[in-house]
Amino acid sequence: MYRYDEFDERFVRERVGQFRDQVARRLDGSLTEDEFKPLRLKNGVYLQLHAYMLRIAIPYGTLSSRQLRQLALIGERYDRGYGHFTTRQNLQFNWPKLRDIPAILDLLADVEMHGIQTSGNCIRNVTADHFAGVAQDEIEDPRPTAELIRQWSSLHPEFSYLPRKFKIAVTGAEHDRAVIKAHDIGLRLRRHPDTGAVGYEISVGGGLGRTPMIGKVVRDHLPKGDLLAYLEAIMRVYNLEGRRDNKYKARVKILVHEIGAEEFTRRVEEEFARLDGPSVNADPAEVERIAAYFAPPAYETLPETSRTLDAMKAANPAFARWAEVNTAPHKAPGYTALTISLKPLGQAPGDATSDQMRLVADIADEFSHSEIRVTHAQNLVLPYVRQRDLFAIWQRLGEAGLASANVGLITDIIACPGLDYCALATARSIPIAQAIQQRFADAAREAEIGALNIKISGCINACGHHHVGHIGILGLEKRGIESYQITLGGDATENAAIGEILGPGLPAEEVPDAIERIVGVYLAQRVEGESFIDTVRRIGLAPFKSAFQEAAHAVA
Amino acid sequence: MPLLDRNGTKIDAWTRSEGPAIGNLSQALVPWEALAEALPQKTRDQRIGVIVPNTVRIAELKLVLRQLSLVAVAFPAYSDGRGFSLAKHIRNHGFTGTLRASGPLIADQFAYALSCGFDEIELPDTLAARQPVEQWLKARDLISHGYQRGYGDSRNILDQRRAARAADQVRAS
Amino acid sequence: MAAVPKRPPLPAILLANDLLDGDVVFASGGATDAIVWTRDPALALVATDDAAATVLESFAAAELAGNRVVDAYLVDVEIQSGAPVPRHFRERFKTLGPSNRPDLGKQAGDGIENGRRA
Ligand code: HEM
Ligand code: SF4
């Protein structure tokens, strides 16, 4: 993975010093709260309900074991012994004190980490496919691109006071695991159909929140070397033209929607043509320098499948299930990409304790070249696991309660922190996730239901991606109580779609029943081998709606 | 209103005129709406500057850039970053005169403003009192180099790496 | 400058977050007549009339200006077993902590047991 050179190192150290200075100027009154707020946000410091929150960037979801151990240490020393992995591949601590944050940032800088641009109206931490570099369906590793963008966007002089936040995601695979269509800019590495050269397909204007939209392609194929100049052109058009009169209309998706994708593209292309590309772009040697850090590890030559694994599976059905569900096909024969579920029963989705972080770091050292990934589904991945080691890993994870065999299944729920932590929330999300997990705790039934993504947000901001959940749950407030609106048919992949509302909102205690009913329709209607989302697409919303409404005791 | 550039406090040599009448002011700063009327009055040894809103179209502004010695871009609020992109546009169109940011910017934006091509900042009195010039000069240097090429910093990180690579090659050959 | 938002129905208490710590704090009666901050919601001063609410509001304004707290606002409450309880569930969580973690926050005595005064 990428390692800082002397320049990167000095940059994050100076950034910590700058934040220390900003805190001091806030305390002596030189900076008002209104002025300080965006400065702290750009270092990941929020004020939540009960305390401050620190959001730490995990660029494109890649972590070393050393970094994960440092996070565990920070969690213990300055927080309450746990952290929360988010849908943007970041980590949040929920209880830090402002007075401690400069010291925490020092500890992060020690392991080449920071909280830079994890919040605020700037270009946010770049996300990528969590199976980058190992996925079988990959055309090219997206991480060098993501790292280049991370550096280019850091403290950008021109684009640090945008109309609104700006999120970029990159994938290099056929199958979109990075939700690029719900990002302000989505980049997909692709091969040119005629020349075979690898370039970028660029989508702009995706986003969730109160006006969910799917990104529109503005360029089919941008030569790789032109990336930074093209991004500069997009950002300049947005910075000048994006709406600033209304916070809810300030995202680039609204600009693209209001002037149309064609006109937006025209303006970007016009600016791109006028720019002096060579004075903006990174030179090829720099791109190569970055790419070299992402060279694959030295793989052992192994048979395609491991006989040890097969034997262990035959002997132990619980292990077999876990090994089936939580692994993904790997480029290297005999290897697998293992997902560690952070969705065990009874735990908040995405939370991990410091002890759990340390255990995963140890396992990564022993079995995965000391590397860990964070997924947008709030799980962890060990990217370089020999199939024959799976059993040993399973046993170790089991002791720490981390061996849930539910990746991609109904209890692998994405949930934002909701009203248990978040100052903007209108309702809680964590207890809803837990109640649904409880309801579908039976492993056999869960396997029978198969792939199904439930995503929960505690308010219209949609941090829990509910719009693109196969089943989405949105927590609202109605007449002084929490009420939950259910959507169906969303999709976060290359077939990106926004879910549709099934009916009136439900009180919290009725949500598990409603989910049960929806699943019931699917089980009754599916044809052999058909997944939930495919059934929804084939039969449409109507059968689900009527089943839902029969039972719904609407709050309203 | 207090004025500063990258070296500190500066005397403002420009005189604002409310409308197009520039009389015999040697350096007259006129509002954008009045510029078309003011320009024809300009004598050979008079200099004209303009105060533009950050919504001005570069397509219009570029037509008069050559006749201007100063462009002051209004920042209605520090959080409104349009002025940074407008400055880049103005510089990209070859303007070599003085570029001024005018409004309640904060010290933490000083380095950004300079990088985008501004020469000087004109602050409201209250802000300048709360954030004295020493804070601006200190904030300017807290981050020594950026990653972006094409933002005035010839020692940006990418070019420094490139120079280091070139030096390595010379040594190797 | 962040102003104190609109006044809710009374009775009401004043809460805020401590600027340096982030903890939720409540305006409380001090030893003399002075108002001080406490981390214990049970000790919050309850304003039952406009005059008392105005006192809390001016305290909030002074404390915001003095850079000691952020996000200060009045919250309408009802009195249950002698202690003020916010009427709205959002503010109730603020006086308790995360509902999924009864071991954390004020419900677990956070910042309260170590001296009842902030
Ligand atoms: C203090 C807690 C948080 C606050 C105040 C917050 C705030 C917001 C706001 C205001 C939006 C809407 C943006 C818009 O529509 O323009 C949003 C969207 C989003 N947030 Fe958060 N958020 C918080 C926590 C989280 C967490 C925990 C996650 C991940 C689990 C997250 C990930 C996202 C994502 C993925 C979106 C939607 C994508 C988009 O930007 O369109 N946020 N957030
Ligand atoms: S969706 Fe709403 S409640 Fe959930 S984290 Fe985002 S802002 Fe908070």
Side-chain angles (χ1 to χ4, degrees), chain A residues 46-48 53 55 84-88 92 124 164-165 167 182-184 206-211 247-248 251 253 378 414-417 421-424 460-465:
Chain A
Y46 279 81
L47 183 65
Q48 300 206 100
M53 178 270 271
R55 185 181 286 164
H84 175 75
F85 289 98
T86 78
T87 46
R88 296 212 73 253
Q92 298 186 173
R124 300 289 190 86
R164 200 76 181 84
K165 60 165 103 169
K167 301 180 179 178
H183 281 75
D184 297 276
L208 300 173
R210 74 182 59 212
T211 324
K247 179 176 169 195
Y248 302 118
R251 296 285 294 271
K253 63 189 172 187
Q378 304 175 293
I414 290 181
C416 78
Y421 296 94
C422 179
L424 300 179
I460 191 67
N461 288 327
C463 304
H465 285 187

Side-chain angles (χ1 to χ4, degrees), chain A residues 5 8 14 34-35 158 281, chain B residues 78 85 144 147 149 151:
Chain A
D5 66 3
D8 301 311
E14 288 177 348
D34 287 348
E35 289 163 349
E158 187 179 346
N281 287 315
Chain B
Y78 75 90
S85 283
S144 53
Y147 287 98
R149 302 183 63 228
Y151 285 81

Side-chain angles (χ1 to χ4, degrees), chain A residues 179-230:
Chain A
V179 206
I180 64 166
K181 290 288 185 180
H183 281 75
D184 297 276
I185 293 182
L187 297 174
R188 186 168 76 89
L189 283 148
R190 67 186 285 265
R191 227 172 258 296
H192 195 283
D194 304 328
T195 66
V198 175
Y200 300 105
E201 177 191 83
I202 303 184
S203 318
V204 179
L208 300 173
R210 74 182 59 212
T211 324
M213 290 198 190
I214 302 297
K216 319 269 184 310
V217 174
V218 297
R219 248 298 176 129
D220 289 327
H221 194 92
L222 181 81
K224 277 183 71 181
D226 283 335
L227 180 66
L228 297 186
Y230 202 83

Side-chain angles (χ1 to χ4, degrees), chain A residues 491-545:
Chain A
D491 188 328
T493 69
E494 60 278 18
N495 308 313
I498 307 291
E500 286 179 56
I501 297 171
L502 274 188
L506 304 174
E509 56 282 7
E510 289 178 25
V511 173
D513 278 342
I515 304 300
E516 186 103 55
R517 220 163 269 284
I518 294 169
V519 170
V521 174
Y522 158 62
L523 291 175
Q525 301 268 347
R526 73 173 165 190
V527 297
E528 185 62 29
E530 193 178 43
S531 70
F532 178 83
I533 187 67
D534 288 336
T535 302
V536 172
R537 286 214 186 94
R538 179 171 57 80
I539 67 176
L541 243 56
F544 295 95
K545 257 191 183 150

Side-chain angles (χ1 to χ4, degrees), chain A residues 97-164:
Chain A
K97 298 191 180 309
L98 181 60
R99 63 172 93 237
D100 292 335
I101 287 176
I104 300 176
L105 295 179
D106 277 333
L107 287 176
L108 289 173
D110 289 345
V111 294
E112 304 177 10
M113 295 187 86
H114 56 71
I116 298 172
Q117 287 166 216
T118 53
S119 180
N121 295 334
C122 52
I123 302 171
R124 300 289 190 86
N125 181 38
V126 182
T127 56
D129 185 351
H130 47 261
F131 292 145
V134 302
Q136 253 178 10
D137 63 341
E138 188 168 274
I139 295 148
E140 198 174 292
D141 191 337
R143 288 171 302 167
T145 297
E147 174 60 26
L148 182 66
I149 297 174
R150 182 190 74 81
Q151 297 188 17
W152 164 81
S153 62
S154 292
L155 274 52
H156 198 295
E158 187 179 346
F159 307 129
S160 287
Y161 290 86
L162 297 170
R164 200 76 181 84

